[in-house]
Amino acid sequence: MNDDLDWSLLSDEEIEQQMDEIVESLRPDIETDESKTVLLNATRMTQLKFTYLVMRYLTRGRKVSVTYKLYEPFRTMGSVSVEGKSIEFDSTKWFTRAAEFASNTDVYPLADNKVRLTFTFHGLTAPIE
């Protein structure tokens, strides 16, 4: 994959090929042999818990739900989600401190006129070789 590409000059097929290459390069990090014994990465788990607690703190008193998932969709992954009709934060300082630990951050609309903010964490576990 070429990091210096000018994506605005690429055709749809070339962009799709670049995206496929990105996904393939990430595959070893997100997929593991589920039958292997794994070891918990305590640092990554602490970062996920920190993000969960900060999101609970930042959304206190608001009509939102804050949840977390562990080992989904793979044993190496987890996530923290905030969902509601409106997601607002009083402190960008705490928001950015919590978000910096995530491997990925997504915000997207839901069918029931709500929005979801999800922080994904890769590397919660590692296979024992």
Side-chain angles (χ1 to χ4, degrees), residues 14-56:
E14 291 169 322
I15 290 173
E16 186 173 330
Q17 180 183 359
Q18 289 296 314
M19 297 299 289
D20 287 344
E21 288 179 26
I22 291 169
V23 169
E24 285 303 315
S25 71
L26 295 174
R27 190 172 304 283
D29 295 330
I30 61 175
E31 291 182 352
T32 62
D33 181 351
E34 294 291 316
S35 66
K36 289 184 178 180
T37 302
V38 295
L39 185 63
L40 177 69
N41 181 335
T43 301
R44 290 299 282 158
M45 184 64 75
T46 300
Q47 292 170 342
L48 183 144
K49 287 181 186 179
F50 176 80
T51 299
Y52 172 75
L53 292 172
V54 168
M55 290 302 112
R56 295 267 321 249

Side-chain angles (χ1 to χ4, degrees), residues 4-18:
D4 298 326
L5 283 177
D6 182 350
W7 288 63
S8 65
L9 300 176
L10 297 178
S11 68
D12 288 346
E13 292 81 21
E14 291 169 322
I15 290 173
E16 186 173 330
Q17 180 183 359
Q18 289 296 314

